[in-house]
Amino acid sequence: PLFIYPAMQSTHSSYYAPSKYYDCTDNDRCTMQAMLKAAEELLNDVVSYFENAGMWEDTLLIYISDNGAPSSTYTSNGHLRGEKGHLWEGGVRTVGFLYSINQDIMPNRGSTSCYVHVSDWYSTIITISGGWDAYTSATGLDMPSDLDSVDQSNYLLSGSSDSCPRTQIMLHIDPVMRVAGYYKYQYKLLIGYQDSSASCESAAFYPLDIGSIDLNIKQLFDIYDDPNETTDLSSEYPEVVADLTADVLEYLSHQRPLQCQLPTIDWANPSDDVPYYLPWDFSDDYPVPENTLNG
């Protein structure tokens, strides 16, 4: 099996695209449109390479995002509440699609509202590419006994399962903002003040314990019927809140502390001279100049 992972920076800040992609220039959305055109061109190139190599009929394309959009004049999360960096649906719910020209690879065509966590692609792709026995034979590694990844292959590709494979997601426990988010069945529990602006202090150490989140603030939403998170059900279903809170505290007991120390390289951002992001791990063609490493 061949696995290729193109991680596109296009549509991510800093907002920039070469001039050839612009159809208009009178507002920030024009820049976003240009960045999308650049992303579409890259996707088209990838598909063309597979077609020219005679591999496209045996390929499954998985196109996903990592988070919602930040609040800006360039982007929008539509009717969803919140933005990138927060646990509201606008920060964590994204769209994606799977595609294969081969009906044998992907006989099921349609849509789903079931939970799919990014970790699930690990088990799902291994199953699609031959299964754990083939993986173990090729790598010498067995499937971890405590693997969180859920195999979604049967559900997504063939529709052979009537129920959603994943029923829970431990969304996040953030000791900086003192918030947590957790899904179980149709419910979503949010703990702490979700619109906190607290940020990670450089090199600060944040232990994860019961004091890491503000348990005095809890909100409960039926995320199936209320994806916009408009109606807090915590007072109506206290037993559900208690059940989900107990799960969060169990997850919390297994977490490792967080230390904030993120590197930045100022000149890695795109420019007119180099209209794409340069990697942090520079090649010989792009030596790191002096005094460009910060943080």
Side-chain angles (χ1 to χ4, degrees):
L2 174 65
F3 176 75
I4 295 180
Y5 171 54
M8 292 183 283
Q9 287 286 150
S10 194
T11 75
H12 195 283
S13 63
S14 303
Y15 299 110
Y16 171 86
S19 58
K20 68 176 183 177
Y21 296 110
Y22 280 83
D23 292 326
C24 61
T25 57
D26 57 341
N27 61 68
D28 291 340
R29 295 294 286 174
C30 293
T31 298
M32 180 57 64
Q33 180 189 46
M35 295 175 75
L36 282 169
K37 287 183 68 175
E40 290 174 350
E41 182 179 275
L42 174 59
L43 180 59
N44 183 69
D45 287 345
V46 171
V47 172
S48 296
Y49 293 147
F50 275 80
E51 289 175 335
N52 294 335
M55 301 170 64
W56 185 235
E57 290 191 358
D58 297 320
T59 296
L60 175 67
L61 172 67
I62 302 171
Y63 195 98
I64 58 175
S65 179
D66 57 349
N67 49 251
S71 176
S72 77
T73 54
Y74 294 91
T75 58
S76 171
N77 291 313
H79 55 75
L80 296 179
R81 189 174 179 179
E83 60 184 271
K84 176 182 177 179
H86 292 92
L87 302 184
W88 300 114
E89 291 296 279
V92 299
R93 178 186 288 230
T94 65
V95 296
F97 67 85
L98 284 73
Y99 177 78
S100 177
I101 197 173
N102 189 333
Q103 194 76 15
D104 292 333
I105 294 177
M106 191 176 175
N108 184 44
R109 309 283 162 151
S111 61
T112 180
S113 58
C114 289
Y115 296 137
V116 179
H117 189 266
V118 64
S119 64
D120 296 343
W121 292 115
Y122 179 43
S123 289
T124 302
I125 290 173
I126 286 178
T127 298
I128 293 169
S129 59
W132 281 101
D133 288 343
Y135 179 83
T136 299
S137 176
T139 65
L141 301 174
D142 295 322
M143 181 179 73
S145 59
D146 58 349
L147 185 64
D148 292 325
S149 180
V150 174
D151 180 6
Q152 302 254 13
S153 57
N154 285 335
Y155 181 81
L156 293 174
L157 300 182
S158 65
S160 60
S161 174
D162 294 330
S163 59
C164 295
R166 175 179 282 281
T167 59
Q168 303 175 33
I169 294 178
M170 182 62 253
L171 189 58
H172 191 37
I173 299 173
D174 186 336
V176 179
M177 301 177 76
R178 300 190 68 225
V179 297
Y182 177 59
Y183 298 93
K184 188 173 185 179
Y185 303 112
Q186 76 267 37
Y187 293 110
K188 177 181 179 181
L189 176 69
L190 292 176
I191 299 175
Y193 178 59
Q194 297 298 316
D195 295 318
S196 169
S197 60
S199 59
C200 213
E201 297 180 10
S202 178
F205 185 80
Y206 296 88
L208 278 165
D209 52 35
I210 198 167
S212 300
I213 51 179
D214 186 354
L215 290 167
N216 294 314
I217 303 175
K218 298 175 185 175
Q219 299 176 83
L220 182 72
F221 301 96
D222 185 332
I223 215 65
Y224 287 2
D225 293 336
D226 182 24
N228 299 343
E229 298 168 297
T230 60
T231 306
D232 179 8
L233 302 173
S234 58
S235 60
E236 187 173 352
Y237 298 110
E239 72 284 358
V240 176
V241 173
D243 177 48
L244 271 62
T245 300
D247 287 354
V248 171
L249 294 180
E250 174 62 22
Y251 276 107
L252 181 60
S253 68
H254 300 289
Q255 300 302 303
R256 296 179 179 178
L258 169 70
Q259 184 172 9
C260 300
Q261 194 164 2
L262 301 176
T264 60
I265 297 179
D266 294 336
W267 78 302
N269 290 331
S271 65
D272 289 335
D273 295 328
V274 184
Y276 50 82
Y277 285 84
L278 296 177
W280 287 359
D281 184 11
F282 288 89
S283 67
D284 292 338
D285 294 333
Y286 296 101
V288 181
E290 294 182 1
N291 301 322
T292 59
L293 297 175
N294 301 317

